[in-house]
């Protein structure tokens, strides 16, 4: 039913309970190659949980997830192999503090993809150049600002040459003046055709880069559509309330 | 460490030593002889010192009904010391060791009235009747051709001492295996240490027996009260330790024909003449004579070796246990393994290290002939692993959970994530705690003497048993431990400071 060429991730009736709290109540959706999907929703509605279910950092209670046609929710699937193609960028960066920036970038490629150190380093430097941080290659994470750390974290994801990147509120932990530099990098990724799934509270940014937006409410997809449909012609009452609460009126007009 | 600090340390030390010296002096002056022993009749109501598990112990115990109090010492020398300090009123011990004691301690003397006569024999497991018959034959031969007499006269009797040293015949073929004997080399002249070797009447007799049986002799030194256990469990073939045949012993073990008779005597303290020795003489006696300082250096080396190997075993095992435990905490998988680990931790942390050491030596490795250093390293390593596991676990817990998720989300599996990202961070956090664990472990190894290892503590104790002086050997041992622990503490605090700068 989903086996069309373009589908990268297929989610069927995804449910997740923490003990007896129902967080996700049956989510079905698919993400196509090259698509930029933005997930919106009020705090606690399960956005992070949804994202973390996609790479099985959380184990779904019910439902199945297919990645590249393989069912990763099947216990016989080697999830580690699939995760190598499905990177995640965290709100709090989670760089490895005991490794230099360059070591952070090459750990995966060298140890998992079995690339040579030289090759991985060259690629790492290239990625750092791209985000304007090549002079930090030998620095340690705690010598960087928040915005710099998040750009490095994106590089670390890119170093694995993933097919999709999951962003969980990548700018929420940043000082406002650093948000722009991270969004800039993400925008350029989107323009290059990288498949991205992105939880964010940056509405203007969401509108700008999203191909499609999902509004999660109480663990279900309450509304889904293009940015125009979701922002300009919201149908769901909860979405309307959410937008009126969170939308910056200035951004709304742009 | 700054110069100022150094000075402070030294003054603390000097103070400590002075206080100890003062206490030592006090002990001597306040000697009380409340209950004077002039004959066997006076034993009722007296405080009697004996060597634990010896025949003297058994006979003296009869006087407990008559109000006597028995103080049991692991060595005759300890008993002598207690007698000198007035802690016991008399000692009951074999005649020859008694002579050795009184020769070295002019203030002690042997009562003319003998306490008991007894016969010494070799103890042997009840299932080794073939070996027993062979030994009995040899003993009969040795008695007949006077070899036995000569051996004894070589150690006892003023005019004959040193005249008949036993020499193995040159042409002995030793293809009948080994004869392992258990003994307690603190019972001069039957068995004692001289220049680092175990010598004495019993050792020569054992050698003579081994020669005649065409066997290689192995001598194992242990506590007197461990000998019967060692023979029963097969750790030693026979026990040769000036042991006399008693009802109680016959219940658990068999004896060969007796090879000599011995007499139990009573040692008392001649009233009120204490010989003061100068500190310089004392140093000469305790450390320089017969190269006794070597017991301390060899012992130190042994202590360091045991600690080193034990800590390696402890760290490896501790890390494995900690990783299993956290894996179960985090993923809920591996419940059975986790249960095994938890049980292990409960047992190890719930029983004394000393008991574990004895169990590993006498129970687990009882039938195999293993190196004692190896045994002790395993025992202390296992013990330490339980504590290290919990240290490591807390170290892993102290690493941000996001680190783990980052590793897993890149595609590293659990073990790879642990190894590459979590453990290096955890290790840094717990390095000081690991250093402290090593220090604790080093001090803990002081009990390895109980399985007959000559570690630092045992080395010092050994000097004490030769010189009948407790003060210098024990203080020297304490000071050596202190120096090493202070040195290690210093290193740990240096590492701690460096880590703090790094972060
Ligand atoms: N490990 C967990 N154990 C129990 N409950 C959890 C756990 N993780 C999340 N939850 C609960 O699940 C619900 C959804 O959490 P989630 O983090 O997915 O929300 P979110 O939409 O990402 O919110 P936010 O915008 O604040 O990040 C919340 O009520 C949260 O308390
Ligand atoms: Mg969230």
């Amino acid at each position: 039913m989903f086996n069309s060429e373009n589908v990268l991730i297929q989610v069927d009736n995804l449910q997740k309970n923490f003990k007896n709290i129902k967080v996700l109540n049956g989510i079905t959706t698919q993400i196509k190659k090259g698509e930029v999907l933005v997930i919106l929703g009020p705090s606690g509605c399960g956005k992070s949980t949804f994202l973390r279910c996609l790479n099985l950092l959380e184990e779904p209670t019910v439902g199945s997830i297919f990645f590249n046609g393989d069912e990763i929710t099947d216990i016989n699937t080697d999830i580690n192999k699939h995760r190598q193609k499905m990177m995640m960028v965290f709100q709090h960066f989670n760089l490895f503090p005991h490794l230099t920036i360059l070591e952070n970038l090459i750990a995966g490629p060298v140890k998992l993809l079995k690339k040579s150190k030289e090759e991985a380093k060259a690629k790492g430097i290239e990625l750092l150049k791209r985000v304007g941080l090549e002079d930090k290659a030998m620095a340690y994470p705690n010598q960087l600002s928040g915005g710099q750390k998040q750009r490095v974290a994106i590089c670390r994801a890119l170093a694995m040459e993933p097919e999709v990147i999951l962003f969980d509120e990548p700018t929420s932990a940043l000082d406002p003046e650093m948000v722009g530099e991270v969004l800039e990098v993400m925008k350029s990724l989107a323009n290059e055709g990288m498949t991205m799934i992105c939880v964010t509270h940056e509405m203007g940014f969401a509108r700008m880069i999203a191909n499609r937006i999902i509004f999660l409410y109480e663990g279900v997809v309450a509304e889904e559509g293009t940015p125009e449909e979701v922002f300009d012609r919201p149908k769901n009452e909860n979405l309307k309330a959410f937008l009126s609460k969170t939308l910056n009126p200035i951004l709304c007009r742009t | 460490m700054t110069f100022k600090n150094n000075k402070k340390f030294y003054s603390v030390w000097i103070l400590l030593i002075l206080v100890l010296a003062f206490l030592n002096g006090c002990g001597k002056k306040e000697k009380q002889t409340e209950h004077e022993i002039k004959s066997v009749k006076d034993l009722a109501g007296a405080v009697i010192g004996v060597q634990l598990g010896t025949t003297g112990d058994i006979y003296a115990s009869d006087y407990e009904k008559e109000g006597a109090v028995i103080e049991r010492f692991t060595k005759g020398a300890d008993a002598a010391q207690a007698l000198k300090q007035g802690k016991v009123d008399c000692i009951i011990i074999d005649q020859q060791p008694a002579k050795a004691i009184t020769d070295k301690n002019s203030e002690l003397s042997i009562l003319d009235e003998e306490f008991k006569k007894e016969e010494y024999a070799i103890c042997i497991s009840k299932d080794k009747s073939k070996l027993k018959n062979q030994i009995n034959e040899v003993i009969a031969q040795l008695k007949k051709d006077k070899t036995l007499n000569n051996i004894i006269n070589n150690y006892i009797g003023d005019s004959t001492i040193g005249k008949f040293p036993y020499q193995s015949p040159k042409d002995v073929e030793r293809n009948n295996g080994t004869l392992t004997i258990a003994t307690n080399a603190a019972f001069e002249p039957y068995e004692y240490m001289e220049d680092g070797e175990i010598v004495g009447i019993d050792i020569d007799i054992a050698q003579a027996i081994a020669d005649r049986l065409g066997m290689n002799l192995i001598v194992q030194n242990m506590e007197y009260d461990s000998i019967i256990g060692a023979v029963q469990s097969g750790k030693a073939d026979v026990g040769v330790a000036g042991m006399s045949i008693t009802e109680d012993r016959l219940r658990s073990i068999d004896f060969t024909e007796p090879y000599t008779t011995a007499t139990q005597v009573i040692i008392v303290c001649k009233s009120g003449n204490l010989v003061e020795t100068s500190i310089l003489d004392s140093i000469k006696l305790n450390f320089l004579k017969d190269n006794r300082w070597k017991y301390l250096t060899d012992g130190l080396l042994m202590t360091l070796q045991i600690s080193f190997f034990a800590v390696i075993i402890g760290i490896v095992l501790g890390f494995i246990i900690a990783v299993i435990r956290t894996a179960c905490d985090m993923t809920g998988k591996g419940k059975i393994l986790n249960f095994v680990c938890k049980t292990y931790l409960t047992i190890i942390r719930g029983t004394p290290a000393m008991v574990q050491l004895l169990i590993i030596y006498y129970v687990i490795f009882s039938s195999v002939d293993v190196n004692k250093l190896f045994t002790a390293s395993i025992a202390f390593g296992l013990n330490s692993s339980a504590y290290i596991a919990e240290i490591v676990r807390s170290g892993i817990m102290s690493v941000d959970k996001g680190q783990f998720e980052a590793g897993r989300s890149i595609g590293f599996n659990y073990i790879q994530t642990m190894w590459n990202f979590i453990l290096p961070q955890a290790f840094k956090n717990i390095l000081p705690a690991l250093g402290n664990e090593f220090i604790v472990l080093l001090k803990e190894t002081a009990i390895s003497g109980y399985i007959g290892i000559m570690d630092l503590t045992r080395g010092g104790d050994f000097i004490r048993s030769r010189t009948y002086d407790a003060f210098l050997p024990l203080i020297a041992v304490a000071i050596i431990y202190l120096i090493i622990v202070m040195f290690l503490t210093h290193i740990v605090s240096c590492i701690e400071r460096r880590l703090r700068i790094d972060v």
Side-chain angles (χ1 to χ4, degrees):
Chain A
M1 71 190 167
F2 56 87
N3 240 343
S4 91
E5 276 277 298
N6 273 337
V7 176
L8 186 62
I9 302 175
Q10 168 81 32
V11 181
D12 278 333
N13 187 29
L14 174 63
Q15 298 182 24
K16 174 69 186 174
N17 302 346
F18 285 111
K19 301 215 173 79
N20 34 26
I21 312 164
K22 286 194 168 178
V23 178
L24 301 180
N25 285 323
I27 294 179
T28 301
T29 187
Q30 40 179 245
I31 295 103
K32 295 193 185 73
K33 281 184 189 149
E35 190 179 23
V36 177
L37 173 66
V38 168
I39 297 166
L40 297 180
S43 181
C45 70
K47 304 181 297 292
S48 297
T49 308
F50 174 67
L51 217 54
R52 291 158 58 83
C53 279
L54 292 183
N55 67 354
L56 261 56
L57 277 186
E58 300 290 357
E59 208 173 319
T61 314
V62 177
S64 44
I65 299 166
F66 295 81
F67 180 60
N68 268 331
D70 294 325
E71 183 178 355
I72 57 176
T73 36
D74 182 350
I75 43 167
N76 296 320
T77 314
D78 180 9
I79 182 62
N80 296 316
K81 273 271 168 283
H82 289 290
R83 278 184 184 146
Q84 293 171 14
K85 296 281 141 224
M86 201 191 232
M87 286 298 120
M88 188 170 225
V89 173
F90 299 88
Q91 185 176 353
H92 295 285
F93 333 122
N94 298 358
L95 295 178
F96 304 121
H98 62 298
L99 302 179
T100 64
I101 298 307
L102 194 57
E103 284 167 344
N104 264 278
L105 298 200
I106 67 172
V110 169
K111 296 199 167 104
L112 297 175
L113 306 181
K114 307 292 175 207
K115 284 195 181 177
S116 76
K117 257 200 168 137
E118 290 65 41
E119 192 190 348
K121 274 185 183 166
K123 174 89 199 261
I125 297 280
E126 192 186 305
L127 286 168
L128 287 176
K129 262 189 197 143
R130 180 180 164 169
V131 300
L133 290 173
E134 68 269 30
D135 54 327
K136 300 287 184 193
M138 294 306 149
Y140 282 89
N142 59 10
Q143 298 165 321
L144 268 56
S145 74
Q148 291 172 328
K149 281 186 205 171
Q150 197 59 297
R151 283 184 276 158
V152 169
I154 294 173
C155 289
R156 181 173 71 180
L158 291 173
M160 292 294 286
E161 296 169 352
E163 292 178 36
V164 54
I165 304 181
L166 314 174
F167 292 88
D168 190 0
E169 303 197 28
T171 56
S172 298
L174 300 180
D175 290 342
E177 72 268 23
M178 294 178 185
V179 171
E181 61 194 52
V182 173
L183 295 184
E184 205 57 48
V185 173
M186 292 171 68
K187 203 166 91 187
S188 77
L189 280 181
N191 289 340
E192 281 168 27
M194 171 63 73
T195 315
M196 294 161 65
I197 303 175
C198 190
V199 173
T200 183
H201 289 297
E202 301 289 335
M203 294 303 170
F205 174 71
R207 180 171 197 147
M208 188 161 44
I209 69 161
N211 301 125
R212 186 159 60 102
I213 291 179
I214 281 180
F215 175 67
L216 278 189
Y217 194 81
E218 289 181 348
V220 292
V221 179
E223 190 152 343
E224 181 173 356
T226 62
E228 291 72 31
E229 285 166 345
V230 170
F231 283 112
D232 300 337
R233 299 182 294 279
K235 293 194 261 327
N236 183 288
E237 288 307 313
N238 295 317
L239 173 57
K240 284 179 192 164
F242 173 74
L243 289 176
S244 69
K245 247 184 275 171
T246 51
L247 263 193
N248 185 325
I250 298 163
L251 280 178
C252 211
R253 255 173 264 129
T254 59
Chain B
M1 210 179 283
T2 62
F3 177 68
K4 208 175 135 206
N5 262 339
N6 266 335
K7 244 165 112 184
K8 211 162 112 194
F9 268 122
Y10 288 134
S11 40
V12 169
W13 279 45
I14 291 164
L15 198 70
L16 186 85
I17 292 169
L18 285 179
V19 167
L20 285 167
F22 178 71
L23 289 176
N24 187 48
C26 278
K28 273 184 180 157
K29 279 185 201 94
E30 282 181 14
K31 183 184 136 46
Q32 338 99 3
T33 37
E34 288 166 7
H35 194 112
E36 208 175 328
I37 312 276
K38 294 206 182 80
S39 78
V40 175
K41 283 189 279 297
D42 298 327
L43 288 176
V47 181
I48 306 171
V50 296
Q51 192 182 357
L52 179 68
T54 58
T55 342
D57 180 3
I58 295 165
Y59 292 130
S61 301
D62 293 343
Y63 284 88
E64 271 177 320
K65 283 179 236 109
E66 296 172 39
V69 176
I70 313 294
E71 294 278 352
R72 293 174 178 86
F73 300 88
T74 47
K75 296 190 198 74
D78 295 351
Q81 216 136 48
L83 178 59
K84 284 203 283 184
Q85 291 169 354
K87 289 180 186 150
V88 299
D89 298 319
C90 68
I91 303 170
I92 296 181
I93 198 163
D94 293 59
Q95 190 170 40
Q96 275 79 27
K99 275 194 88 170
I101 289 173
T102 50
D103 282 352
K104 284 187 184 148
N105 299 276
S106 54
E107 62 268 50
L108 303 182
S109 63
I110 300 172
L111 285 189
D112 292 337
E113 186 185 356
E114 286 169 358
F115 177 65
K116 218 124 209 169
K117 260 200 158 46
E118 55 176 7
E119 293 185 309
Y120 285 166
I122 296 170
C123 73
I124 184 163
S125 162
K126 286 186 174 175
D127 6 286
K128 289 193 178 163
S129 52
K130 186 168 162 248
L131 183 62
K132 182 182 136 184
N133 292 336
Q134 287 173 327
I135 292 176
N136 277 339
E137 261 171 51
V138 174
I139 289 175
Q141 283 171 22
L142 293 176
K143 277 183 183 160
K144 212 166 154 202
D145 64 15
K146 291 269 189 301
T147 313
L148 194 59
N149 232 345
N150 287 343
I151 289 175
I152 294 170
N153 286 338
N154 187 47
Y155 291 91
I156 299 169
D158 291 336
S159 58
T160 55
I161 282 187
K163 293 262 168 69
F164 310 101
Y166 178 75
Q167 301 261 314
S168 297
K170 288 237 165 55
D171 51 349
V172 183
E173 279 192 29
R174 302 182 190 278
N175 27 24
N176 293 335
T178 57
L179 181 72
T180 305
I181 70 162
T183 193
N184 167 237
F187 197 58
E188 198 173 337
Y190 288 95
E191 42 266 327
Y192 58 102
M193 296 293 270
E194 200 171 82
D195 296 331
E197 273 184 54
I198 305 173
V199 296
I201 296 173
D202 285 344
I203 309 303
D204 284 356
I205 292 174
Q207 185 63 57
I209 292 172
D211 291 346
R212 307 252 166 144
L213 293 178
M215 295 168 105
N216 276 310
L217 184 69
I218 296 174
V219 180
Q220 286 211 351
N221 191 13
M222 59 186 71
E223 296 294 336
Y224 189 80
D225 55 344
S226 310
I227 293 173
I228 290 187
V231 172
Q232 270 180 322
S233 70
K235 269 198 136 29
D237 297 313
V238 294
V240 192
M243 198 177 271
S244 50
I245 306 166
T246 65
E247 292 279 307
D248 276 345
R249 286 175 186 158
L250 276 172
R251 235 169 272 143
S252 49
I253 205 118
D254 214 351
F255 282 93
T256 62
E257 294 296 320
Y259 53 87
T260 186
T261 52
T263 312
Q264 296 277 323
V265 298
I266 301 171
I267 307 179
V268 294
C269 198
K270 292 180 207 158
S271 43
N273 55 341
L274 290 170
V275 189
E276 288 290 331
T277 48
S278 81
I279 185 90
L280 211 65
D281 287 343
S282 206
I283 289 177
K284 271 188 198 150
L285 173 72
N286 281 300
F287 303 127
L288 302 180
K289 189 163 175 270
D290 298 339
N291 281 340
R292 286 192 174 127
W293 55 270
K294 280 204 76 172
Y295 289 115
L296 295 183
T297 51
D298 290 354
L300 175 61
L301 191 67
M302 183 54 94
T303 292
L304 291 178
Q305 277 175 325
I306 296 174
S307 312
F308 176 77
F309 291 127
V311 89
I312 302 256
I313 296 173
I315 285 180
V316 171
L317 210 57
F319 266 84
I320 294 173
I321 295 171
V323 168
I324 293 175
R325 297 261 288 126
T326 37
C328 183
D329 287 352
M330 280 162 109
T331 63
K333 284 176 200 147
K335 287 232 164 66
I336 297 172
L337 261 180
N338 187 38
F339 178 76
V340 172
C341 289
K342 261 166 123 173
T343 314
Y344 174 81
L345 295 186
T346 310
I347 293 172
I348 296 283
R349 296 197 297 175
T351 52
M354 164 114 164
V355 177
Q356 293 163 13
L357 177 70
L358 293 177
I359 288 178
I360 286 178
Y361 186 65
Y362 287 111
V363 181
I364 296 176
F365 288 139
S366 70
S367 51
V368 267
D369 181 33
V370 285
N371 182 296
K372 281 182 181 169
L373 170 61
F374 174 79
T375 314
S377 304
I378 298 257
F380 290 111
L382 291 182
N383 179 269
S384 165
S385 73
Y387 298 91
I388 291 179
E390 290 303 277
I391 293 173
V392 174
R393 203 160 80 96
S394 73
I396 293 175
M397 296 296 196
S398 74
V399 176
D400 177 22
K401 204 165 156 259
Q403 290 293 307
F404 199 80
E405 293 183 347
R408 292 309 301 269
S409 75
I410 294 174
F412 288 96
N413 65 28
Y414 183 87
I415 299 289
Q416 289 171 324
T417 306
M418 268 291 164
W419 181 253
N420 290 308
F421 308 120
I422 309 299
L423 290 183
Q425 294 182 52
F427 190 69
K428 237 173 133 177
N429 292 344
I430 60 173
L431 210 53
L434 283 181
N436 286 329
E437 173 60 25
F438 182 68
I439 290 171
V440 170
L441 182 69
L442 183 108
K443 287 182 286 175
E444 200 128 276
T445 60
I447 59 175
S448 28
Y450 275 88
I451 60 168
I453 290 181
M454 270 288 187
D455 73 319
L456 178 56
T457 305
R458 190 32 91 83
D461 209 33
F462 204 84
I463 297 176
R464 184 171 71 92
S465 76
R466 304 305 298 145
T467 61
Y468 301 88
D469 181 7
F471 181 70
L472 272 181
L474 294 185
I475 293 299
V477 166
I479 288 175
I480 295 174
Y481 275 115
L482 197 55
I483 291 174
I484 292 174
V485 168
M486 280 172 61
F487 174 69
L488 289 173
T489 312
H490 179 68
I491 291 181
V492 169
S493 66
C494 280
I495 293 172
E496 228 171 351
R497 222 172 305 141
R498 274 207 46 190
L499 289 181
R500 226 177 290 139
I501 293 164
D502 269 10
V503 167

